[in-house]
Amino acid sequence: MAAAGAEAVVAEDEEKRLPEGDPESGGDSEDEGDSDSSGDGEDEEKENEAEIQRLEEQLSINAFDYNCHLDLIKLLRQEGELVKLRRARQKMSELFPLTEEIWLDWLKDEIKMASESSEREKVYELFERAVKDYICPEIWLEYAQYSIGGIGQEGGIERVRSIFERALTAVGLHVTKGTALWEAYREFENAILETAQPAPGSVPSPEQQQMLCTQLEKIHTLFRRQLGIPLLDMETSYAEYEEWSEDPIPETTIKNYKKALQQLEKCKPYEEALLGAETPKLAEYQAYIDFEMKAGDPARIQLIYERALAENCLVPDLWARYNQYLDRQLKVKELVLSAHDRAVRNCPWTVGLWIRYLLAMERHRVDHSSISEMFEKALNAGFIQATDYVEIWQAYLDYLRRRVDFTQDSSKELEELRSAFARAVEYLKQEVEERFSESGDPSCTIMQNWARVEARLCNNMQKARELWDNIMTKGNAKYANMWLEYYNLERAHGDTQHCRKALHRAVQCTSDYPEHVCEVLLTLERIEGTLEDWDAAVQKTENRLARVNEQRAKAAEKEAALAKLEEEKAEQRKQARAEKKASKKAKKARSGEKRKADDDDEGEWGQEEEAEQPSKRHKGDGLLEEDMEVEMGLFGRSGPEKPDRPANQKEKATTSRKDIPKVLHDSSKDNVTVFVSNLSYNMAEPEVKLKELFESCGEVAEIRPVFSNKGTFRGYCYVEFKEEKSARQALGLDRQAVEGRPMFVSPCVDKNKHPDFKVFRYSTTLEKHKLFISGLPFSCTKEELEDVCKAHGNVKDIRLVTNRAGKPKGLAYVEYENEAQASQAVLKMDGLTVKEHVIKVMISNPPLRKLPDKAEAGRASQFAVPRQVYGARGKGRTQLSMVPRALQRQGNPVAKAENGMVQNSAAASSAPPEEPKKMSNADFAKMLLKK
């Protein structure tokens, strides 16, 4: 809205005074109070100018950057650049519906500038645009009050009444905010009534009397209309009407008032839920919408949808449901098309909204040029998936196909359709594939539809064959369903010769289901072929199937060989670990005997044996305490001698291990217990540390840390609460850093009863509002990453991915408020350099987790016990052995025998006599096979 002449002079003056004038018109500048500091002011002004230039350049690259528009408008308003501010607001309003706050700021700025009648008309036009974006009671009220200032002009009063009536139609049913409009309308009519009153002491003329009666009736009508609508504080309005009216209130009005009160009582729970809910209030609005849908009043349904959209304008599903209701129920052209237009302007990245808009335009017979223009806008909307472009092209091609009269051999519409098909194929190949590294249409559905149109509607089978030949050259020749699709088209609109040719090629090329294609070929020849055709088909299919079976057999042999090789490698690793373990035990036993001989010169072999026995029992030899006493009795030793012998270092270690109680868990308390893992092994007094941490969730009944045989903390424990809700709340502490490591908190579940139970805190599906960033430097902090990301939208959460030790992996997830901001961030941040590292940014869509096959799981379970038996020395310390040691010893008898053979005479004198008693027949069989 650039002005000329005197208006330009006014604009210049306003640019100079706008920042230091009314605080509402940009007076919130931080340097307002520092006018004396000219140097600081100049520096800040230069910084703002540079930022304005940067934002303008950014918008020239990507005009759909919503936050960039907001920042530019804010800076221009702060600097008082009114002409640029108007231009910036204008550009943004062309791309997006503006929020209530943006419109009110814009309108207030323009109202201050409007002094002449021509300028007032421009403000009226601006109000008309504002009320179309969203249904906002505040904007309608501002519009009506502004129009009252022009009642002195010709037709001014009627114009005000027209605006008030439109406002009541739009938002007069608003339960919480509609009353203000009704009262403002009545106040305006009361003011008109006051001006129509005759002077005191004078007798009104018949014309004046008629005018007074008419004006009084208008106010009566407004009261009666308002009292028939469920609005908050209806009782006050009714009391005001009783006080104002000289006549009794009509019975019909009272009846409508009581009915409205009853309806208000039904609406109140939904209004109260909205007042108490936090943004975005989607669930509360949906419940309100369902309530109004059951009541069936179209005006109220439309209003509640509009209220929901005013607060959730970036929710595509809400727009889709609203537009579907308008398309199927109201079917009013202006209303329907306006809603669709606002939907695509709010959520331009959602292809479904664009498709519905094109269909609505065609349904309401909008001219072809407008539909084509809207389609071009859709192509530039910036969809986030390649398949979205395929869908929008298909919708537009369907529209063009419906325009063609196929009874004519040639027409302008048909040529336009063919041209659009060719453009679509080229667009997907170049534009889409360049951006997404895929065309989004691997099975060439658009070319298939083009071929069907040519064959069925244009009788141009030659063109259809050319298209199908092109489809097959794009990597589709190996799929049986593609060949059968082409065969069916030839069968319906071609000839037998081309059908046979297609099937022969299919038999030769198909790799997924060749049997099916061979069967179709034999069926064709059985019905229509000659003997020579039949023989040729049989020979071709037999040869092909023979080659296929040979290839499958080779593949199976190769797979079996690989599986066998894997098993052999696993067995070799198992034996190597067993030998290493045995050698370490033998070395440890020899060094232990040497230390004992030095410590106790008077010791005998039997005493060394006694010292070893408790250690062996603790390690899981399977011997009961009674068995130990019998064994010592055979060697002439008695139990009471043990406490009299000197206590050496190994005995102390053994005693400390014996004093550690076994941590038992009562599965009946799983609902009030959480399992805590990945804690630091060096944590001092884990009970005290964890109790302080978990007491914030509720009263802690018991903390049971798990210790190793040597008395060291093993990094995990059970935390039992008094109440179940405390345990559920404790799960929220998952991944919290404790002593530099992320603490894992999970439900306490018996894996024996629920082997498939998994706890994964984060979503593994496509999240369009969340980004996945890789390639980050390990030194990058959460705050530094947030500074980079917040320039492209409101960042709700940032999660830096770490390993179990809490070390960064150079990965992060960034959650934005909506899909639009996330898509803009992808475009801007992908390939960005952060601390000399080039990062990759994409929409979060983790790959599906691969579950092991049953056969592989079976093989893994066979080796699970041996891998645990020989310790975790070659692994990370966090891979804890959860198999009881007694079971481990039973699962590996060979290693046990080897240990006994390697031990010296002292160990051999005690262990071997009892060893055979603990071995099963299967264990002996394995030993013999080993020999």
Side-chain angles (χ1 to χ4, degrees):
M1 292 186 293
E7 186 178 352
V9 177
V10 174
E12 287 182 8
D13 295 340
E14 192 65 25
E15 286 180 32
K16 294 177 182 178
R17 67 180 176 84
L18 191 57
E20 56 190 23
D22 191 353
E24 292 183 353
S25 57
D28 56 349
S29 165
E30 290 184 3
D31 60 333
E32 181 179 352
D34 300 335
S35 56
D36 295 336
S37 307
S38 57
D40 294 342
E42 290 177 2
D43 292 342
E44 184 173 353
E45 185 177 352
K46 289 180 180 179
E47 290 178 3
N48 289 343
E49 288 178 0
E51 181 65 12
I52 289 172
Q53 185 176 359
R54 185 190 71 79
L55 292 172
E56 288 176 342
E57 291 176 356
Q58 189 169 340
L59 287 175
S60 66
I61 298 172
N62 179 19
F64 287 93
D65 192 333
Y66 187 87
N67 291 311
C68 190
H69 281 285
L70 292 180
D71 294 340
L72 179 60
I73 289 172
K74 181 180 178 181
L75 267 179
L76 291 174
R77 195 164 189 256
Q78 179 179 324
E79 291 297 310
E81 297 280 352
L82 186 59
V83 177
K84 289 184 178 180
L85 179 61
R86 282 174 173 169
R87 191 183 304 120
R89 284 166 166 166
Q90 181 68 27
K91 287 182 179 178
M92 185 177 183
S93 66
E94 291 172 358
L95 296 173
F96 303 100
L98 305 185
T99 63
E100 179 183 325
E101 293 77 12
I102 297 175
W103 271 120
L104 288 174
D105 288 341
W106 189 358
L107 290 166
K108 288 176 182 177
D109 289 346
E110 295 295 341
I111 288 172
K112 290 186 178 75
M113 296 294 300
S115 56
E116 300 179 2
S117 59
S118 60
E119 294 173 343
R120 289 186 63 85
E121 288 301 320
K122 291 180 179 179
V123 176
Y124 280 124
E125 293 175 5
L126 203 59
F127 268 114
E128 287 296 328
R129 290 171 54 193
V131 296
K132 289 179 181 177
D133 276 355
Y134 299 106
I135 290 184
C136 298
E138 287 81 1
I139 293 180
W140 274 111
L141 188 59
E142 189 76 23
Y143 189 10
Q145 290 173 345
Y146 178 72
S147 66
I148 293 175
I151 59 175
Q153 300 176 355
E154 184 180 354
I157 294 178
E158 292 306 318
R159 185 173 197 170
V160 173
R161 284 175 175 155
S162 172
I163 292 172
F164 266 119
E165 288 295 335
R166 290 172 56 203
L168 292 180
T169 302
V171 294
L173 298 177
H174 199 297
V175 176
T176 58
K177 298 182 179 180
T179 305
L181 270 170
W182 287 99
E183 291 177 351
Y185 196 1
R186 288 203 317 273
E187 288 176 6
F188 169 73
E189 294 295 353
N190 274 316
I192 299 296
L193 178 63
E194 291 295 329
T195 60
Q197 293 286 355
S202 62
V203 179
S205 63
E207 292 80 6
Q208 289 178 326
Q209 190 67 33
Q210 180 65 31
M211 185 183 296
L212 284 172
C213 292
T214 303
Q215 190 62 26
L216 284 170
E217 185 58 32
K218 286 182 179 179
I219 299 174
H220 275 289
T221 304
L222 281 176
F223 267 119
R224 292 166 187 167
R225 287 169 61 191
Q226 180 183 354
L227 293 175
I229 298 172
L231 300 171
L232 288 182
D233 205 18
M234 289 183 64
E235 297 83 355
T236 304
S237 300
Y238 184 79
E240 185 180 346
Y241 186 28
E242 282 184 318
E243 183 181 351
W244 179 86
S245 177
E246 297 177 355
D247 301 325
I249 298 177
E251 191 65 31
T252 306
T253 304
I254 296 175
K255 184 178 179 180
N256 291 337
Y257 168 69
K258 291 180 178 180
K259 184 178 179 181
L261 273 178
Q262 293 175 356
Q263 191 172 358
L264 177 63
E265 290 301 318
K266 296 179 181 178
C267 295
K268 272 186 178 180
Y270 299 99
E271 293 291 345
E272 291 170 357
L274 288 175
L275 288 173
E278 297 181 357
T279 306
K281 309 179 184 179
L282 275 174
E284 290 77 14
Y285 272 119
Q286 188 57 54
Y288 206 163
I289 290 170
D290 294 339
F291 165 74
E292 293 293 359
M293 291 285 279
K294 290 178 182 178
D297 186 344
R300 298 190 64 83
I301 294 172
Q302 181 190 355
L303 178 63
I304 191 59
Y305 263 120
E306 291 287 353
R307 287 177 61 185
L309 288 167
E311 295 191 45
N312 300 278
C313 58
L314 299 178
V315 180
D317 291 342
L318 188 59
W319 281 108
R321 292 195 294 271
Y322 181 40
N323 290 336
Q324 185 181 73
Y325 171 76
L326 296 178
D327 287 334
R328 296 180 180 179
Q329 302 298 327
L330 297 187
K331 302 180 181 179
V332 179
K333 179 179 179 180
E334 292 75 13
L335 184 61
V336 169
L337 295 183
S338 171
H340 279 287
D341 182 67
R342 288 186 292 138
V344 297
R345 288 169 64 201
N346 272 292
C347 307
W349 65 89
T350 307
V351 68
L353 296 178
W354 287 100
I355 293 174
R356 291 185 180 92
Y357 193 7
L358 294 177
L359 291 172
M361 294 177 78
E362 182 183 3
R363 197 176 293 121
H364 291 282
R365 305 190 183 282
V366 177
D367 60 274
H368 174 61
S369 61
S370 298
I371 296 178
S372 298
E373 183 181 350
M374 191 56 59
F375 168 70
E376 294 298 333
K377 286 184 179 179
L379 285 182
N380 296 320
F383 300 130
I384 59 178
Q385 296 183 88
T387 52
D388 293 344
Y389 288 93
V390 179
E391 292 181 31
I392 194 67
W393 267 111
Q394 193 56 64
Y396 183 60
L397 293 168
D398 292 344
Y399 156 71
L400 293 179
R401 194 264 309 159
R402 290 190 285 266
R403 294 181 68 241
V404 179
D405 181 6
F406 289 101
T407 58
Q408 301 178 10
D409 292 338
S410 180
S411 64
K412 179 182 176 181
E413 290 79 8
L414 179 58
E415 292 305 317
E416 184 178 4
L417 174 62
R418 285 172 170 160
S419 158
F421 267 119
R423 183 189 166 201
V425 172
E426 191 67 20
Y427 186 91
L428 294 177
K429 180 180 178 182
Q430 293 185 354
E431 301 288 337
V432 178
E433 194 164 350
E434 180 180 348
R435 178 180 170 188
F436 296 97
S437 301
E438 58 165 326
S439 67
D441 191 16
S443 57
C444 303
T445 54
I446 287 182
M447 292 182 71
Q448 287 188 48
N449 291 332
W450 188 3
R452 294 188 191 100
V453 169
E454 294 290 353
R456 297 175 183 176
L457 302 177
C458 301
N459 297 318
N460 187 354
M461 212 40 219
Q462 182 60 35
K463 179 64 176 177
R465 293 184 185 116
E466 292 176 5
L467 290 169
W468 267 103
D469 185 66
N470 196 1
I471 291 171
M472 292 304 182
T473 58
K474 293 183 180 296
N476 292 302
K478 57 185 177 181
Y479 301 117
N481 66 317
M482 299 296 287
W483 282 108
L484 295 178
E485 188 71 30
Y486 173 41
Y487 166 74
N488 291 331
L489 190 67
E490 281 285 1
R491 193 74 173 152
H493 307 285
D495 52 56
T496 305
Q497 180 181 356
H498 283 91
C499 288
R500 181 177 291 112
K501 184 178 179 182
L503 289 176
H504 276 272
R505 289 179 61 194
V507 168
Q508 193 68 26
C509 300
T510 300
S511 60
D512 55 351
Y513 298 106
E515 295 88 350
H516 193 186
V517 176
C518 292
E519 184 181 349
V520 174
L521 175 59
L522 294 175
T523 302
L524 173 68
E525 301 301 359
R526 181 176 286 111
I527 296 174
E528 299 186 17
T530 63
L531 179 60
E532 290 77 9
D533 295 333
W534 172 260
D535 289 341
V538 169
Q539 183 178 357
K540 193 175 189 69
T541 55
E542 286 179 351
N543 292 339
R544 175 59 178 160
L545 292 179
R547 289 198 303 273
V548 168
N549 291 331
E550 183 180 351
Q551 292 171 357
R552 289 174 178 171
K554 288 182 179 179
E557 289 177 3
K558 186 176 180 180
E559 185 177 353
L562 289 174
K564 186 176 180 180
L565 183 62
E566 257 331 289
E567 290 182 0
E568 290 176 354
K569 288 182 178 180
E571 186 66 27
Q572 290 173 2
R573 289 194 296 268
K574 174 184 172 182
Q575 292 178 358
R577 284 194 300 270
E579 293 172 0
K580 185 177 180 181
K581 183 73 173 180
S583 63
K584 285 184 178 180
K585 282 195 173 184
K587 184 177 179 181
K588 184 177 180 181
R590 286 194 296 269
S591 62
E593 291 159 10
K594 184 177 180 180
R595 285 196 302 270
K596 289 174 186 176
D598 294 338
D599 292 341
D600 190 2
D601 295 335
E602 297 178 358
E604 299 179 2
W605 290 111
Q607 289 177 330
E608 290 187 23
E609 176 191 346
E610 283 183 6
E612 291 292 331
Q613 290 299 333
S615 175
K616 289 185 179 180
R617 186 180 74 241
H618 189 80
K619 288 186 178 179
D621 281 352
L623 299 176
L624 298 175
E625 199 164 340
E626 291 79 358
D627 295 333
M628 291 292 294
E629 291 176 358
V630 171
E631 185 180 11
M632 287 187 290
L634 292 174
F635 287 91
R637 304 288 180 184
S638 61
E641 291 180 4
K642 284 195 288 184
D644 295 337
R645 73 178 184 276
N648 57 28
Q649 186 177 1
K650 188 159 187 176
E651 286 179 314
K652 290 181 180 179
T654 303
T655 304
S656 66
R657 290 195 294 269
K658 289 172 64 178
D659 292 340
I660 299 172
K662 184 177 180 181
V663 177
L664 298 176
H665 173 64
D666 186 357
S667 60
S668 64
K669 296 183 178 180
D670 281 350
N671 60 328
V672 295
T673 307
V674 294
F675 180 70
V676 183
S677 59
N678 202 46
L679 298 169
S680 173
Y681 284 34
N682 299 322
M683 180 181 289
E685 298 183 348
E687 299 98 325
V688 178
K689 177 75 174 179
L690 295 176
K691 188 171 184 179
E692 294 175 356
L693 186 63
F694 282 95
E695 276 183 339
S696 61
C697 304
E699 186 178 356
V700 178
E702 183 184 8
I703 294 180
R704 300 188 295 277
V706 180
F707 294 90
S708 67
N709 295 336
K710 297 181 180 180
T712 58
F713 182 46
R714 300 189 67 176
Y716 62 95
C717 66
Y718 298 91
V719 179
E720 182 182 328
F721 292 89
K722 293 286 187 181
E723 298 179 353
E724 184 176 352
K725 65 179 183 180
S726 301
R728 289 197 299 268
Q729 187 175 349
L731 296 176
L733 299 178
D734 186 35
R735 300 304 197 278
Q736 179 172 327
V738 176
E739 295 189 2
R741 295 172 64 90
M743 174 180 67
F744 298 164
V745 184
S746 58
C748 195
V749 176
D750 188 351
K751 292 295 184 70
N752 294 326
K753 297 180 181 178
H754 307 280
D756 298 330
F757 179 79
K758 296 285 183 185
V759 176
F760 195 68
R761 180 181 179 184
Y762 306 104
S763 174
T764 57
T765 59
L766 174 65
E767 296 180 280
K768 296 183 180 180
H769 67 292
K770 187 179 290 186
L771 303 183
F772 173 68
I773 303 178
S774 59
L776 288 168
F778 291 164
S779 60
C780 182
T781 64
K782 184 176 180 180
E783 291 74 18
E784 291 172 341
L785 183 58
E786 184 176 5
D787 290 339
V788 176
C789 298
K790 69 182 182 182
H792 311 289
N794 296 326
V795 178
K796 293 180 65 177
D797 184 43
I798 292 180
R799 176 166 64 91
L800 295 177
V801 181
T802 62
N803 60 16
R804 297 178 68 91
K807 304 297 182 182
K809 299 176 70 175
L811 310 174
Y813 289 90
V814 180
E815 182 180 357
Y816 282 93
E817 277 193 347
N818 52 62
E819 300 175 17
Q821 295 177 3
S823 61
Q824 296 304 323
V826 170
L827 296 175
K828 295 297 181 182
M829 294 171 57
D830 189 30
L832 190 69
T833 301
V834 177
K835 293 185 178 181
E836 301 181 356
H837 286 68
V838 178
I839 64 173
K840 292 184 179 180
V841 184
M842 62 190 74
I843 298 295
S844 176
N845 188 15
L848 295 177
R849 295 185 152 217
K850 295 182 179 180
L851 298 176
D853 296 335
K854 291 183 178 180
E856 294 177 358
R859 287 197 299 270
S861 64
Q862 294 173 12
F863 300 112
V865 172
R867 288 174 67 90
Q868 298 285 356
V869 167
Y870 297 111
R873 305 213 173 219
K875 306 177 188 176
R877 296 181 64 188
T878 54
Q879 297 182 6
L880 303 174
S881 174
M882 303 300 291
V883 181
R885 295 179 186 79
L887 295 180
Q888 295 174 3
R889 287 298 183 101
Q890 292 171 11
N892 192 14
V894 179
K896 187 171 183 178
E898 290 173 353
N899 288 342
M901 293 167 63
V902 173
Q903 298 255 348
N904 56 21
S905 59
S909 63
S910 59
E914 291 294 321
E915 292 291 345
K917 296 180 181 180
K918 300 300 176 183
M919 299 178 66
S920 64
N921 292 338
D923 295 334
F924 276 115
K926 289 181 182 178
M927 289 179 61
L928 293 173
L929 289 174
K930 287 284 183 181
K931 295 177 181 179

